[in-house]
Amino acid sequence: KDNKKRKCTEEVEKVSEDQSSSVIQEPPIKAKKARKKELSEAEKTLANRECALERADAEEEEQKLFQNKAKKKKGASHAITKSVANSGAGTTVKQQKKKKVADEMVNRRTVFVGNLPVDCTAQALKSLFKEYGQIKSVRFRSLVPAEDTLSKKLAAIKHKVHPNVKFVNAYVVFKEECDAIKALNENGTEIASGFHIRVDIASKTSSHDNKRSVFLGNLSYDICDDAVREHFSVCGGVVAVRIVRDRKTGLGKGFGYVLFENTDAVHLALKLNDSVLMGRKIRVKRCGEKWKAPQKSSDRSRAPKDRVDTRLKNKRCSNGSFVGEKAVPLKKSTKPKRLKAIPRNKAGKNK
């Protein structure tokens, strides 16, 4: 009986232990399952983040590649435009140089003819210069049209020149340079009564001899070249007279130049300074010298300030009015004032 009871108690204990173990073991299994679920959600979020980061990196790389390609394209286009611009600039510079060279070559073959009469024609000029060589063209300049609507070219063709204009200039282009140099022999010839022409090479390389020239100032605006020539013909042989004029009106600007044959004539021409020509005192000086305005020479030396003040005072007082001496104001003393002492008798009465 005792053994049976022990066995029963043991079985009951085993069953209770099994039940207790089952009860105790069940929660960890559920915890494990929950942990697994939680880990899977975290992994999902991490995976999503990683995917998003990867996508962002890929997009950045694509953007960088696109920007690099765009930069390369821009650089290539900029280089192409630069090369085109440089080539264009190079061509323009080359063209300009070629033009300058061509113009210089033409100017060496061109002769400037000044102080021609208004009624001079191209045929008359060709007949004058044809003995020196073949002439390619003749063109007139310094024409002032009779009407504002007309251009200078039309005025030259139609011979409609302003009535106040007395002379014109022209350019004669020769075929060869040596012929233009020969044509300089016509310089100073009288083509008409009162018209001595001035012939010179049109190129800028032609130098003006300052040693044989004088500058003229304060000339009349409507002066002609022959009047200046006659005025200075006393000094010596005059090679050329040039009066600077306005292109639009043809009037003189008040100054000009005279070229002599010798330097001795320059010394004589300087003596004609302040001489009267067409009612004006002209100014004559060497070319290259600066003109200085004449200063008024004061004979009396400047007196010291004290004397000047006394003179001014005497002038002011010379009207017969009496002027007394000014009183010198007394300086105020800075010492404090003392109180007056009151006698005792008066002090007692006040009390």
Side-chain angles (χ1 to χ4, degrees):
K1 287 179 181 178
D2 294 328
N3 290 329
K4 285 179 181 179
K5 285 179 181 179
R6 285 177 184 174
K7 285 179 181 178
C8 289
T9 51
E10 286 176 359
E11 287 176 0
V12 171
E13 287 176 358
K14 282 180 181 180
V15 171
S16 63
E17 284 177 0
D18 292 333
Q19 286 176 357
S20 64
S21 64
S22 65
V23 171
I24 292 162
Q25 286 174 0
E26 281 177 1
I29 291 162
K30 288 180 181 178
K32 283 180 182 178
K33 286 180 180 178
R35 282 178 187 173
K36 282 182 181 178
K37 286 180 182 178
E38 287 175 0
L39 289 168
S40 64
E41 287 177 0
E43 285 175 357
K44 282 180 182 179
T45 53
L46 286 168
N48 290 329
R49 286 177 184 176
E50 287 177 357
C51 290
L53 289 169
E54 286 176 359
R55 285 175 187 173
D57 292 335
E59 286 177 358
E60 284 181 0
E61 287 178 359
E62 287 179 358
Q63 284 179 359
K64 283 180 181 179
L65 290 169
F66 182 73
Q67 287 176 0
N68 289 329
K69 285 180 182 178
K71 282 180 182 179
K72 284 179 182 178
K73 284 181 181 178
K74 281 182 182 179
S77 63
H78 190 60
I80 290 162
T81 52
K82 268 188 178 180
S83 62
V84 169
N86 290 329
S87 63
T91 52
T92 53
V93 169
K94 285 179 182 178
Q95 287 175 358
Q96 286 176 359
K97 285 182 179 178
K98 284 180 181 179
K99 275 186 178 181
K100 282 182 181 179
V101 171
D103 291 339
E104 285 178 2
M105 292 296 290
V106 173
N107 288 334
R108 287 177 185 175
R109 296 186 286 106
T110 304
V111 168
F112 172 81
V113 185
N115 198 30
L116 291 167
V118 178
D119 56 353
C120 183
T121 59
Q123 291 179 354
L125 280 176
K126 283 180 180 178
S127 62
L128 180 66
F129 289 101
K130 67 181 180 181
E131 58 179 332
Y132 299 106
Q134 189 176 354
I135 296 168
K136 291 190 76 176
S137 64
V138 175
R139 59 183 187 273
F140 289 94
R141 291 291 181 271
S142 304
L143 288 167
V144 180
E147 299 174 1
D148 294 334
T149 55
L150 286 173
S151 63
K152 289 183 178 181
K153 193 173 183 179
L154 280 170
I157 293 165
K158 294 180 179 181
H159 297 285
K160 289 185 177 181
V161 187
H162 200 274
N164 292 333
V165 177
K166 298 176 182 178
F167 65 93
V168 292
N169 300 324
Y171 289 96
V172 181
V173 184
F174 287 90
K175 192 176 182 180
E176 294 180 1
E177 187 179 346
C178 59
D179 297 337
I181 294 166
K182 290 176 186 176
L184 297 177
N185 294 326
E186 293 293 330
N187 185 31
T189 57
E190 191 174 2
I191 193 171
S193 60
F195 288 95
H196 291 81
I197 61 173
R198 179 166 60 92
V199 184
D200 195 7
I201 299 293
S203 63
K204 293 180 180 178
T205 55
S206 61
S207 59
H208 185 73
D209 192 359
N210 290 331
K211 292 180 180 179
R212 295 186 293 119
S213 304
V214 290
F215 172 82
L216 308 178
N218 199 30
L219 295 172
S220 178
Y221 295 124
D222 57 348
I223 196 168
C224 60
D225 293 0
D226 281 358
V228 177
R229 185 183 287 272
E230 287 177 5
H231 189 75
F232 286 93
S233 61
V234 184
C235 304
V238 178
V239 176
V241 176
R242 183 189 167 215
I243 295 169
V244 181
R245 300 181 182 275
D246 189 15
R247 291 182 180 180
K248 292 181 180 179
T249 59
L251 293 171
K253 291 186 176 181
F255 63 95
Y257 302 91
V258 179
L259 178 66
F260 294 99
E261 291 179 357
N262 300 317
T263 55
D264 296 334
V266 175
H267 298 289
L268 296 172
L270 293 172
K271 293 178 180 179
L272 293 176
N273 187 29
D274 292 334
S275 61
V276 179
L277 177 61
M278 292 185 70
R280 295 174 72 93
K281 283 187 177 182
I282 62 171
R283 191 169 65 251
V284 185
K285 68 181 186 65
R286 292 180 184 274
C287 287
E289 289 182 359
K290 291 182 179 179
W291 180 75
K292 294 181 181 179
Q295 295 179 355
K296 292 180 180 179
S297 59
S298 57
D299 297 332
R300 296 177 182 178
S301 60
R302 289 183 179 179
K305 289 183 178 179
D306 298 335
R307 291 182 185 176
V308 171
D309 293 337
T310 53
R311 284 175 187 174
L312 289 170
K313 285 177 183 178
N314 293 329
K315 281 182 181 179
R316 287 174 185 173
C317 302
S318 62
N319 295 326
S321 61
F322 175 77
V323 179
E325 293 181 357
K326 289 182 179 180
V328 180
L330 295 170
K331 291 183 181 180
K332 293 181 180 180
S333 61
T334 56
K335 293 180 181 181
K337 293 181 178 180
R338 293 180 182 180
L339 294 169
K340 292 181 179 179
I342 300 167
R344 290 178 182 179
N345 296 327
K346 289 183 180 180
K349 286 178 183 178
N350 290 330
K351 285 178 182 181

